[in-house]
Amino acid sequence: MRRLRAIAGLAVLCAATHAQEFEVVSPQPDAVSVTIYRDLFALVTETRTVDLPEGSTTLVFEGVADTLLPQSAVISGAGRGVDESNYDFQRLSPASLLDKSIGKQVLLTRTDKRTGNVRQVPATVVAANKNGVVFRTSEGHEALGCSGIPEMLTFESVPDDLHSKPRLSIRLAAGSAGKRQVRISYIAHGFTWSADYLAHLGAHPGGPADRDTMDLAGWITLQNLTHANFRDAEVQLVAGRLNLLDAEEDRGTSLFGSTSAYSLDEALAEGRAERLEELREELEDEIENGPDVDFYFGCYPLGPQRPDGIDVITAEDIGRFPDDNLAESLQRTSGMELDEVVVTGYRASIALRENLADYQLYRLPVRTDLNARQTKQVAFLQKPGVKIDRFYGVRIASDEDYESYEAYGNTGDDIVPLSVKVAWRNVAADGLGEPLPEGLVRFFDTRTGGLFAGDARIEDSAVGIPVEVTIGRATDLTLDLRGSDDELQPGRFSWLTRNMYMPIHMRIDNAKARPVSVEIRQGKLYDELVGLRVIDANLPPSRKSGDYVWRFTVPANGSQSLSYKVGGKADPDDF
Amino acid sequence: MRRYSCWLAGLCSAGVFAAGGEDKQVSLTIYNRDLALVEHVRPVNFTAGRQRIEFAGVSARIIPETVSFAASNLELLEQNFDYDLLTPNKLMEKAIGGKVTVIRTNVATGKETSEVAEVLSTAGGTIMRIGNRIEVLRDDSLPARVVFDKVPENLRARPTLSVLVNTDQAAAQDIRLTYLTRGISWDADYVAVFDEARGQLSMQGWITLTNNSGTTFSNARAQLVAGDINVTDSEEMWRQSRQATAQRTAGRESGGQPQLADYYLYPLAQPTTIANNQSKQVSLFDAPEVRASKGYEVSYSGFHSSDAPDSAQVRIRFSNSKAGGLGRALPAGVVRVYARDLRGQPQFVGEDLLGHTSAGSDIALRIGDAFDVTVTPTVLQETRVNKRTTDYQVSYLVRNARSEAVTVTLRQDDLWRVNEVRAESIKGRRTDSDSFAWDVPVPANGETALVITVRQGW
């Protein structure tokens, strides 16, 4: 591929009506840079060297990615004004070739199946559309592929406006002649990346909770779902939530609707993932069947028999399937996924991070080939010994938070499950201090010999942001909300103060042979209560995001009780 | 039915003239959404009497009822738009009751024999009478070609417009054909490279023409109309009713473009070829130095606590006034914003929709959410004042992980009818009858808590 560089910028003189109109074709880029976004697209930047003549010139970029969004193209470095740019969606295909041949003369070849005798007749294409082809010979009008005789149309030449490779052409104003480095950037669909984390929770048996650590490793998995190949490309990834408009409604960039319609990051990730699967299928289908499949196979009714279907595949037919390698054939037959997976990450080549506007940009350390339908992985984060907080927690509240346990009105099952929590501060002092792009964190517990301990999704989190995730449900640890002897007391309302309080009694039993750290959070019990207040607690509470919170250690094979009253101001009409 | 087609056939025998594909001139006036006015000027040689003129090369997505036809000394009798496409199936269907030739090939000898057949039916299979026997075409799967003498006149390879006219004298004259068509539209697209350090946008405006009309218009004179015209189409009305939120204040400067009634006109400087299935971009303007700034905004409606921080929205603010470096009306379109990375290469950082914006307006493009600038809300205290009124004491912890200081505009929106700020740690301002805003300065790699007490009631 690279040896062709020398002829890049081949100038072709156009013998057109205008004396000073030139066409310069650039067959491929000298250098290419691909910036992949999570939102199913990439920004492709190509540098091409072209030799521009003096007159006004049409510059043709051949071999651009065909999922290109034409209105996103930006051209710089030509040193002249760009009058216009054109992108033809029509590619050279059987369909477009026939369409352009309507009214033109072609050669009809009929082959005798038995003898192999060939007869050729000149014919004129009268109509060609997805319902069939009608042609005219000296005998009269006939429909193609209806007679049961093998028939083929041969064309004299490819029409000038049909090209096999996707091409973007721009018309430049006249200017001084010479070699130029032209840079063209465009958005192309069919790319994505995601971050995954591996967290090995450190073993400090018997040690205090604040000495718990984890080794955090981050991996980027990037995917090229298109059939475009990028040789020796600089690859970047952008993390952050971009405002994107819907591709169909607003001619924007997003294939999964306007991003502002997703208020939660989690919903956005879901919408994106769903569309990703569809897109993968669409692109695969296109690779196998071409962009316009249902063309010129129509015929008039022929009764029960099919016109000329292949009933039996004989040995010699197999070799005619259009696969050029074994992997492709295997895939066709078994539906196996054989996408190449390349793992390039190791400690020495970790992706480098920089700020890009208000996002994070990761740069792959070396140039790499980004091939069609390829998945690549690269490490971007290696942080050993990050200080973490491991504890067990529960939140008691009435709001929609699905992790909350609704205490009021629950009479039967009052053994409340506790969640296994891991929390950290994303600061350098605790061994981290790196922006973390959204992704799935898989936790492994070295205390249990490296067993998988659960996973959790984290959102984009900047330096300085506290992160807290739930990775599972506790065993050998129970919270008994009935307490040791009391039933839940009904709420009491004071007509004087308009305060209403409900007593809460709980006991946490630890059947583990080690002490554990437990966090109890108390939110509002009724939405109707104004203000949240806790009184008469046997342990002093602190506050966390508006909630009251208790943090204590439950000794090995021991228990701890907590009791308090929770409430607020009530409107007497509500009760 | 039969009588009608005979009458038609009688008229058609009057003589057919194809008005070529050769336009002396073709002009397009293209509207924003899937609508264009096309005018063809074509030379035609008329003979005296009644005749039919066919117009090849008109848009396949023509709206036939909008066709008008201008020529002198001509009586227009009838106007047809035939969009019955010629397909093998239609060809056989129209042959019902007529004669075709069936040519069979002997598979052993290759010898051909031909017979004349009458087509009886095409429902589920082609049934034909050959001599005095009835058979289903190719019921035996053996090769049999069917040859048709002619193609019915109203079956076309492409949709075709024709007019039936009457004239007294033979003459050559230019006729003018105008119609509205679907499938052609234009949109504005903007590319803006933001240089934060210099506080500048380098902005290019492009007009993107898309043609899916099925027809290529060669060397057309084109002009574009900006502005939402009234279209009685529910989808289009819905589209227009959605608001682009980027425009902040309305401008009062005239846009520097010729106006057509209440719309702006953008004529293209030179004739251009608008090919079918093509997307074409034509330069609208190039403004390398537009004054711009970046801002962070977060708005809350109601009061709530959250563990997870909310990212601040990043907005690029500029004005399309003369003083700001732009000085032109901007037709509706998508603005794609780029910023340079450390190596100086422009990278895409987000996009926003701009409505038709008159010159001199203030614009704030939302490009995305800041990774490193976040707000964590906590309701510190709710205090009941009386039956209808409550005080909310809220802390908004604004964190900045960037290496430079930022200012975040925090808005408290959608308050109840009675509302009042009772206390604030940073001086704010009322922005609306039901909203307040505070500009919160946050140092580099630091945080600032805005604590406010808002009384609201009804």
Side-chain angles (χ1 to χ4, degrees), chain A residues 245, chain B residues 189-192 203 333-337 350-354 365:
Chain A
L245 304 166
Chain B
D189 281 286
Y190 304 93
V191 171
M203 202 163 171
V334 177
V335 188
R336 288 190 170 78
V337 182
E351 64 192 2
D352 202 358
L353 193 65
L354 198 63
L365 301 173

Side-chain angles (χ1 to χ4, degrees), chain A residues 35 37 84-87 119 139 141 146-147 241 243 245 251 253 301 305 354 358-359 521 545 573, chain B residues 112 126 138 141 144-145 148 189 279-281 294 296 307 342 347-349 351 367 369 382 387:
Chain A
T35 305
Y37 295 73
E84 62 173 58
S85 84
N86 295 293
Y87 184 72
R119 272 198 307 155
E139 290 177 296
H141 289 83
C146 296
S147 65
R241 186 170 163 159
N243 193 45
L245 304 166
R251 301 174 56 262
T253 302
Q305 304 268 339
E354 67 186 59
D358 277 284
Y359 314 118
R521 283 176 75 162
S545 297
D573 299 346
Chain B
E112 286 188 337
T126 303
R138 293 200 54 216
S141 282
R145 288 160 51 205
F148 302 83
D189 281 286
S279 164
K280 175 194 257 339
Q281 289 200 289
K294 189 177 81 174
Y296 297 92
D307 279 1
L342 286 184
Q347 301 284 5
F348 178 60
V349 294
E351 64 192 2
I367 62 162
D369 292 353
E382 277 176 273
K387 206 170 155 70

Side-chain angles (χ1 to χ4, degrees), chain B residues 242-318:
Chain B
R242 287 179 314 147
Q243 286 177 336
T245 54
Q247 185 177 355
R248 286 298 171 85
T249 66
R252 282 184 296 270
E253 296 177 15
S254 45
Q257 286 293 329
Q259 282 182 292
L260 167 79
D262 271 319
Y263 315 110
Y264 280 107
L265 270 186
Y266 296 90
L268 300 192
Q270 41 188 315
T272 185
T273 295
I274 306 168
N276 183 39
N277 233 328
Q278 188 185 58
S279 164
K280 175 194 257 339
Q281 289 200 289
V282 184
S283 177
L284 180 63
F285 67 86
D286 198 345
E289 292 179 352
V290 180
R291 218 167 40 239
S293 65
K294 189 177 81 174
Y296 297 92
E297 290 180 14
V298 181
S299 65
Y300 287 98
S301 70
F303 305 95
H304 69 275
S305 300
S306 169
D307 279 1
D310 302 306
S311 290
Q313 286 179 19
V314 182
R315 290 201 180 249
I316 307 279
R317 299 176 178 127
F318 65 100

Side-chain angles (χ1 to χ4, degrees), chain A residues 98 108 132-135 142-147 151-153 296-299, chain B residues 88:
Chain A
L98 266 165
L108 175 75
V133 177
V134 176
F135 60 86
E142 288 185 62
L144 186 71
C146 296
S147 65
E151 287 170 335
M152 181 176 72
L153 295 181
Y296 77 97
F297 293 119
C299 205

Side-chain angles (χ1 to χ4, degrees), chain A residues 303-526:
Chain A
Q305 304 268 339
R306 292 194 51 196
D308 196 23
I310 303 170
D311 300 318
V312 184
I313 299 178
T314 59
E316 55 183 26
D317 287 324
I318 290 171
R320 294 215 301 263
F321 282 115
D323 299 333
D324 31 32
N325 62 46
L326 177 70
E328 232 177 288
S329 331
L330 275 176
Q331 199 158 342
R332 190 182 309 279
T333 47
S334 65
M336 282 163 62
E337 278 283 336
L338 281 176
D339 291 1
E340 190 185 357
V341 176
V342 178
V343 178
T344 57
Y346 44 91
R347 204 178 278 264
S349 76
I350 207 156
L352 305 167
R353 188 184 58 81
E354 67 186 59
N355 282 322
L356 167 71
D358 277 284
Y359 314 118
Q360 309 299 335
L361 181 133
Y362 296 89
R363 216 177 264 288
L364 261 54
V366 287
R367 285 171 179 269
T368 178
D369 287 351
L370 184 61
N371 292 327
R373 302 179 66 210
Q374 191 179 53
T375 299
K376 241 180 222 295
Q377 289 199 302
V378 63
F380 74 96
L381 184 84
Q382 286 283 2
K383 289 282 176 186
V386 177
K387 200 162 117 186
I388 55 164
D389 183 12
R390 291 180 75 174
F391 61 95
Y392 299 89
V394 70
R395 179 169 188 259
I396 300 168
S398 66
D399 60 24
E400 314 84 37
D401 186 345
Y402 65 99
E403 276 193 49
S404 299
Y405 180 78
E406 208 171 317
Y408 180 74
N410 193 324
T411 49
D413 179 20
D414 285 325
I415 302 297
V416 180
L418 286 164
S419 301
V420 183
K421 299 268 195 180
V422 175
W424 64 83
R425 291 191 307 153
N426 189 356
V427 291
D430 287 0
L432 195 52
E434 269 294 315
L436 303 177
E438 158 200 288
L440 195 67
V441 190
R442 292 182 177 84
F443 291 90
F444 297 87
D445 200 341
T446 43
R447 196 155 49 195
T448 57
L451 281 184
F452 179 55
D455 57 25
R457 179 159 290 281
I458 57 166
E459 308 297 351
D460 285 345
S461 79
V463 172
I465 299 293
V467 178
E468 184 180 309
V469 294
T470 301
I471 64 170
R473 186 168 282 196
T475 52
D476 294 336
L477 193 67
T478 52
L479 186 151
D480 190 340
L481 204 58
R482 285 167 300 195
S484 50
D485 46 1
D486 287 346
E487 289 282 308
L488 266 181
Q489 297 287 310
R492 289 203 189 121
F493 178 68
S494 155
W495 286 96
L496 188 67
T497 61
R498 294 190 166 172
N499 282 333
M500 184 170 151
Y501 288 101
M502 188 165 83
I504 300 268
H505 299 284
M506 66 176 77
R507 195 188 67 224
I508 295 101
D509 295 308
N510 182 12
K512 295 175 195 287
R514 57 187 168 81
V516 295
S517 180
V518 170
E519 183 189 88
I520 307 293
R521 283 176 75 162
Q522 177 65 59
K524 264 191 190 184
L525 275 190
Y526 309 94

Side-chain angles (χ1 to χ4, degrees), chain B residues 381-429:
Chain B
Q381 206 171 343
E382 277 176 273
T383 315
R384 191 185 180 77
V385 179
N386 60 45
K387 206 170 155 70
R388 291 187 181 147
T389 313
T390 308
D391 280 354
Y392 292 87
Q393 190 192 24
V394 193
S395 156
Y396 290 107
L397 180 62
V398 187
R399 290 189 178 95
N400 174 21
R402 294 174 66 80
S403 53
E404 77 266 350
V406 300
T407 298
V408 178
T409 302
L410 198 142
R411 283 170 66 107
Q412 189 72 60
D413 285 336
D414 302 328
L415 295 171
W416 298 348
R417 193 171 56 82
V418 178
N419 55 68
E420 178 192 354
V421 172
R422 305 278 294 174
E424 53 193 2
S425 62
I426 292 162
K427 182 78 189 131
R429 61 187 186 274

